[in-house]
Amino acid sequence: MTNPCTVFLELLGMLIGTGGWFCSLAATIMPQWLSLSTELLGVESYVQGLWEACVIQVVAGTECRPYDTILGLEPKLMLARVLMCVSDATCLLGLLLAIPAMSQINCCKSEEGRRTKRGLKITAGVFLCIAGLFVLFPISYIAHNIVIKYFDESIPHVVPRSEFGDALFIGWAAGLLDIVAAMLLFASCSDSRDSEPHLMYHRQRQEIRTIDGSRKRTEYV
C-alpha cells in the first residue's frame, strides 16, 4: 500500500520543480538582467539581457535589438548563457525522470521495481539540485558585479550605474525552487524505503514424538 506521505512529497516536489523550471526559463529569455536609467533623461531607460538589449521610452515604447555577434559579448553574459541553458535542460531532464518514479504510476510493483523507482527519484533529485546551482551561480555572479560597480568610488557620480533587473530575482527564485524540489524527492525516497513491507520469517522447531517415545521427528515452520 502506498504511503500518503510519500505521495504528498512526490507531488509537492514535482509541482515546485515545475515552477522552478518555468522561472528559470523565464529568467533565461527575459532581457531585464541589468537595468540602467539616467537622471538626465528620466523618460528613457535601458535594460540588458543575455540575448538582447532594449531601450524603454515613455513615448515610443520599448525597442529591443539582439546582439550582433557572440565574440563581442561580455564574458559574464556568455557564461550566464551557457549555465542557464544547461540548467534549463538539466531541470527538465530531472522532471522527466521523476515522472515514472512516482508512486501513482502503476508499474514496477515488485521489489526490484521499487528499487528502480527509488533510484530514478534520487537521480531526478540530483539533476534538480545541479540545475538550481547552475541558476544561482550566474545570477549571483552578475549581481555581485553590479554591486561592486555601483559602489565603485573611482567612477564619477554622473556616470549611470546598472541596477538589479527583474530577471535576477526570478532566477534566484528558480534556483531555490529547484533545490527545494530536490530535497522533497530525497525525502520521499527515504520515506518509501522505511515504509517498504519487510517479511519476517520465524523458525519454529517442533518435536513430534511417537507414542512409545522411542522415535522423534523435527519440523521447521
Side-chain angles (χ1 to χ4, degrees):
M1 184 177 179
T2 305
N3 193 339
C5 294
T6 302
V7 176
F8 175 75
L9 292 174
E10 290 174 350
L11 292 177
L12 186 60
M14 286 293 296
L15 181 62
I16 294 178
T18 304
W21 181 74
F22 278 112
C23 290
S24 176
L25 187 63
T28 306
I29 299 174
M30 289 176 60
Q32 290 88 1
W33 279 63
L34 289 84
S35 178
L36 181 66
S37 59
T38 60
E39 297 179 357
L40 299 177
L41 295 176
V43 297
E44 186 177 85
S45 60
Y46 304 89
V47 292
Q48 186 179 4
L50 300 180
W51 313 96
E52 59 185 2
C54 301
V55 179
I56 303 175
Q57 297 178 346
V58 177
V59 179
T62 304
E63 181 180 355
C64 298
R65 182 179 179 182
Y67 299 122
D68 297 331
T69 178
I70 299 179
L71 299 178
L73 198 63
E74 296 183 27
K76 62 180 181 181
L77 295 180
M78 178 63 68
L79 178 63
R81 270 190 183 185
V82 174
L83 292 180
M84 291 299 293
C85 292
V86 172
S87 174
D88 295 338
T90 305
C91 184
L92 181 60
L93 181 59
L95 293 175
L96 293 178
L97 287 176
I99 293 176
M102 299 184 69
S103 302
Q104 293 86 346
I105 304 299
N106 294 324
C107 65
C108 302
K109 294 297 184 180
S110 61
E111 181 70 20
E112 189 68 24
R114 284 193 294 268
R115 292 180 181 177
T116 303
K117 282 190 172 184
R118 184 170 178 268
L120 285 176
K121 280 195 292 185
I122 293 176
T123 305
V126 171
F127 281 3
L128 289 175
C129 190
I130 293 175
L133 295 178
F134 278 4
V135 172
L136 293 176
F137 178 77
I139 294 287
S140 302
Y141 179 72
I142 291 180
H144 173 73
N145 286 338
I146 292 175
V147 173
I148 294 298
K149 292 181 179 179
Y150 188 87
F151 293 102
D152 191 358
E153 297 180 355
S154 62
I155 301 177
H157 293 285
V158 295
V159 177
R161 290 172 169 81
S162 299
E163 297 182 1
F164 293 168
D166 296 337
L168 296 183
F169 299 101
I170 297 177
W172 274 318
L176 293 178
L177 289 176
D178 289 341
I179 294 176
V180 170
M183 296 299 106
L184 290 174
L185 290 180
F186 291 151
S188 68
C189 290
S190 61
D191 186 75
S192 62
R193 181 187 61 182
D194 297 337
S195 63
E196 286 181 359
H198 298 279
L199 297 179
M200 300 181 63
Y201 297 93
H202 300 277
R203 188 175 66 175
Q204 182 179 2
R205 181 176 179 179
Q206 296 181 351
E207 295 183 356
I208 302 176
R209 298 180 179 273
T210 58
I211 297 176
D212 57 0
S214 59
R215 298 176 59 186
K216 64 178 181 180
R217 182 180 60 186
T218 303
E219 293 183 356
Y220 293 95
V221 181

